[in-house]
Amino acid sequence: MQYEATMILPARTGNAAAFEQIVRTHERQVLRVAVRLTGNLHDGQDVAQEVFLKLHREFGRFQDSSLIGSWLYRVTVNACFDLRRKAKRAPVENAGFGWETWRSGERSREQELAHQQELALAMEELSERERAAITLRELEGLSTAQVAEILGTAESTVRVQIAAARVKLRKCLERLRGKKR
């Protein structure tokens, strides 16, 4: 972002307003990914706060504003992995938004809520890496190359993780829907 580039130098030299503008530019992105990966708003907010504190501590290393977005994705994903490892949480709660990408036709509000709950349960069956890959690629709309960079893997690995995630999601959703009949 062009205006963001003009904020880097002032923010690096201690201009709080410039740093705050950079945070505002990225806060929705970070929170959205954190909530999707942790499964609930409270943990997502905790992760987002941790991510921006880390950005503040390490801000001096950014020469190029284009690096901040991908760095934030990477730190957010890693913070979510760390949180889940530490807490060894039970099933992910429905995050309540973002699942619209998975819609397949018009549903009533009740049907949509049931679908979101099914999808949240199905997402829980994915590995951390599969969940991160499919969230960043399909829900965040990042390219495979960007996801690979964020996750620190090869593009082919990301493609395999996404393919595996889709298969697992499909099987789990079919199983869940079969139980309702």
Side-chain angles (χ1 to χ4, degrees):
M1 298 183 166
Q2 184 60 28
Y3 79 90
E4 186 178 321
T6 63
M7 295 291 170
I8 296 289
L9 183 57
R12 288 180 67 209
T13 58
N15 183 322
F19 183 78
E20 186 177 326
Q21 182 61 41
I22 291 169
V23 170
R24 276 198 304 269
T25 300
H26 295 282
E27 65 188 344
R28 284 184 178 219
Q29 160 199 331
V30 169
L31 183 61
R32 188 176 56 239
V33 171
V35 169
R36 286 175 174 164
L37 293 179
T38 63
N40 67 73
L41 181 60
H42 178 62
D43 287 344
Q45 288 171 328
D46 287 348
V47 165
Q49 183 176 14
E50 181 182 325
V51 167
F52 286 115
L53 285 171
K54 187 168 187 169
L55 175 64
H56 189 266
R57 283 192 308 267
E58 298 185 19
F59 198 71
R61 68 186 259 198
F62 291 103
Q63 303 294 326
D64 181 357
S65 64
S66 66
L67 300 177
I68 292 175
S70 61
W71 183 88
L72 286 170
Y73 272 124
R74 184 171 32 258
V75 172
T76 303
V77 167
N78 289 337
C80 291
F81 287 173
D82 291 345
L83 178 71
R84 287 188 56 87
R85 265 187 236 113
K86 287 177 192 172
K88 296 193 179 174
R89 294 206 184 263
V92 173
E93 300 168 21
N94 181 3
F97 63 90
W99 304 115
E100 294 80 11
T101 304
W102 298 88
R103 285 187 182 178
S104 59
E106 290 300 313
R107 296 184 176 96
S108 70
R109 180 70 183 132
E110 293 79 23
Q111 289 172 321
E112 185 59 33
L113 183 59
H115 179 69
Q116 289 177 4
Q117 290 170 340
E118 289 171 348
L119 188 57
L121 287 171
M123 289 287 281
E124 183 59 27
E125 293 195 13
L126 303 179
S127 72
E128 286 180 336
R129 291 283 181 172
E130 291 167 341
R131 190 179 313 115
I134 203 154
T135 296
L136 294 171
R137 180 74 176 96
E138 301 299 333
L139 300 177
E140 288 297 306
L142 299 179
S143 70
T144 303
Q146 289 171 312
V147 175
E149 179 185 339
I150 291 164
L151 297 179
T153 62
E155 287 183 47
S156 58
T157 302
V158 170
R159 285 190 287 274
V160 168
Q161 290 169 332
I162 290 171
R166 286 179 178 154
V167 169
K168 287 180 183 178
L169 287 172
R170 188 176 306 114
K171 285 181 180 179
C172 183
L173 289 172
E174 287 171 357
R175 188 176 66 246
L176 289 170
R177 290 178 183 142
K179 286 182 181 179
K180 287 184 176 182
R181 292 181 188 156

